[in-house]
Each structure stands twice: as C-alpha cells, then as structure tokens.
Amino acid sequence: VTKIAPDAFRGLENITIDEANPVYTTDEQGAIYNKDKTILYSAPCAVFAKDFVIPSTVTTIGEAAFYDSSSKSITIPESVTKIEDYAFSGNGVSTLHIPKSVTYLGVGALNGDHYMQSITIDSDNPMFTADENAVFNKDKTKIIRFFKFEVPSYEIPYGVVTIGEDAFAHRFIKSVTIPSTVTTIEESAFDRSGLESIVIPSSVTTLGRRAFAANSIKEVTIPGSVEVIGEDCFIANDEMTGLTIEEGVREIGAGAFDSNGWLQIITVPG
C-alpha cells in the first residue's frame, strides 16, 4: 500500500502496518504516519479515547487526521508547522492550544465538534491569534473559526475584512452582527450555522458559494455593493419569506435561493 486517503479507516479500533512498507508506519497506539514520522495521517477512533501527545517528530497534521476522535485532550508540539484541512473536524476535545510554530491552517482545520469551547494560540505565533470566541489571522482582518457552540448572538469585531470559509459552519448561533468593514464572505462561512436573522452591510462585495446555506433566515436584503451571489448561497433556508436584491447586483449563481419553500416576496432590480 502506497496511498491511504484521509478518513480511510474511520471507526476502526486498531491498525497495524507491515514494517517493510516503504511509505507508512505506525506506533504502539496505532496512529498512522509517513515513514519518518513527520506527517501524522490518522489513527483509529479508539486510540484517542484518552490524552494524546503528538510526537515531536511531526511537522504536519494531515487532512482529517483527528476526524471523529474521542480524545480527552490533544497536545500539539512546537515541531508542528502545518495543520491541514479538517484536521480536527468532529473530534471530542473541548480545548486546544496552537503553538507558535504553526504557520498554516487549512480549511476547516479547527472545526471541532460541539464539545470544542476553547482554542488558544501562543502569543508569539506570527500568523494567528485568538480571543475567547474565535480564531483570527494575526492582524484580525480575517475571522477563521468561531468555536463557541449554541450561543444566541455574536458581534464580529470592527476591522474584520473577511469572514473565512467555514468560519461559523455548524455552530448554531441565531444572530451575527457583521461590521461595515467586511467586504468578503467566503464559501460556506455560515453553512448550517443556525442563523435566524442577518443584515449584510453595504461594504460587502462578495458572497461565496453556500455562504448562508441551510439556515432559518426569514428575510434578507442583498445590498447593491454585492456583485455576485454565489451558487447555493441561501439554499435551504426553509423559513425565508422575504428577499430584496438591490440595484447593482450583476449575477445570481445557480441554486442561490433554491429550496426556500415559503419565499413570498421577491424584489429584483431591473
């Protein structure tokens, strides 16, 4: 075997790898690494039903490496520089500390399960920072991940320019206040986030694919500053009854308002 896809062994209790395999190796816990143990690829869910310390040889935590794990805690060493897409998605830890060495976070890298309530980042990290609610880039112009779960409302700090991909996905938050500094709302930023209301400020120029998909938004106005509404942007907002699209919007993507069965009032410019 020379290639193992992310999440290939989800749900297994134990994995062993032949010592003669030229690409992969394992350890006493059954975690899967590349041969020199610089990349942590995956491990059986049962391995993480306790505290897990990533070896100090690891520089990259691979895609979906901790997906669905039931670990009580995960310790990331300062050897780690990269955390790839969805590395911690769906895992059972409640807190996570990111060391100063980490300079890359993939899409959804910190998308923990509903147990996740705290992410801290070393103050000397040159790329990222965090407060009690969310992870940002260092100058706080981009919100990367809102990690609180089931909160009634949140006000994004003034100065944020970009709401990142998956930033609020699956967090179950009824209302988010977007400041007038935001220009870009990326793909799936609020996908299945539980939103019931949203006001999009006139500073926003980009609404990514599935940016507000599968929520409970009742009414929305798309300001004329938005040039393109991405595909499936508001799909499956079953309770939506009112939609206004202001003059200036040039393009509405496929399925942007699909499956909004109660939509009664639509105002579209000429």
Side-chain angles (χ1 to χ4, degrees):
V1 175
T2 58
K3 183 176 181 179
I4 300 174
D7 200 23
F9 297 111
R10 180 183 178 187
L12 293 185
E13 294 185 358
N14 187 46
I15 297 172
T16 58
I17 296 176
D18 193 299
E19 290 183 2
N21 187 289
V23 178
Y24 298 104
T25 188
T26 187
D27 60 14
E28 67 279 359
Q29 298 184 104
I32 300 174
Y33 306 86
N34 65 338
K35 199 66 175 179
D36 61 1
K37 289 190 177 181
T38 58
I39 302 174
L40 170 60
Y41 287 116
S42 183
C45 293
V47 167
F48 298 122
K50 57 182 180 180
D51 299 337
F52 184 80
V53 177
I54 297 173
S56 60
T57 56
V58 172
T59 60
T60 299
I61 300 173
E63 182 178 346
F66 288 86
Y67 188 84
D68 248 7
S69 75
S70 56
S71 171
K72 292 180 179 179
S73 72
I74 299 169
T75 300
I76 304 173
E78 290 199 355
S79 57
V80 172
T81 60
K82 180 185 289 188
I83 301 176
E84 295 190 340
D85 296 355
Y86 304 104
F88 293 100
S89 182
N91 71 84
V93 297
S94 60
T95 63
L96 194 65
H97 179 73
I98 308 299
K100 63 184 179 182
S101 56
V102 174
T103 57
Y104 175 82
L105 291 174
V107 173
L110 304 178
N111 287 15
D113 205 340
H114 62 276
Y115 300 104
M116 183 74 75
Q117 288 297 312
S118 175
I119 297 175
T120 57
I121 296 179
D122 192 294
S123 60
D124 290 329
N125 187 294
M127 300 299 292
F128 308 107
T129 188
D131 62 16
E132 67 275 13
N133 296 299
V135 173
F136 304 84
N137 64 342
K138 193 65 175 182
D139 62 3
K140 287 194 172 183
T141 57
K142 180 176 183 178
I143 183 168
I144 295 170
R145 182 60 175 169
F146 181 82
F147 49 76
K148 293 292 186 182
F149 185 79
E150 287 190 334
V151 296
S153 63
Y154 175 67
E155 183 173 344
I156 296 174
Y158 187 86
V160 169
V161 175
T162 301
I163 301 174
E165 185 172 346
D166 270 17
F168 289 85
H170 303 275
R171 299 323 287 163
F172 294 94
I173 181 170
K174 293 182 179 180
S175 175
V176 173
T177 300
I178 301 175
S180 60
T181 53
V182 170
T183 62
T184 302
I185 301 176
E186 293 186 345
E187 180 175 337
S188 300
F190 293 94
D191 194 341
R192 300 179 189 273
S193 63
L195 279 179
E196 295 181 1
S197 64
I198 195 71
V199 175
I200 301 172
S202 58
S203 57
V204 174
T205 60
T206 302
L207 293 178
R209 180 180 179 274
R210 290 189 65 88
F212 293 96
N215 286 296
S216 299
I217 298 170
K218 297 172 177 61
E219 294 183 356
V220 67
T221 296
I222 311 298
S225 58
V226 174
E227 297 180 358
V228 178
I229 301 172
E231 294 181 5
D232 298 332
C233 191
F234 287 88
I235 192 172
N237 276 270
D238 297 338
E239 298 181 30
M240 185 175 289
T241 59
L243 167 64
T244 299
I245 301 174
E246 294 183 347
E247 190 75 39
V249 176
R250 295 186 296 103
E251 183 179 333
I252 301 174
F257 298 96
D258 193 13
S259 301
N260 295 342
W262 295 100
L263 194 54
Q264 299 171 2
I265 302 173
I266 305 175
T267 303
V268 182

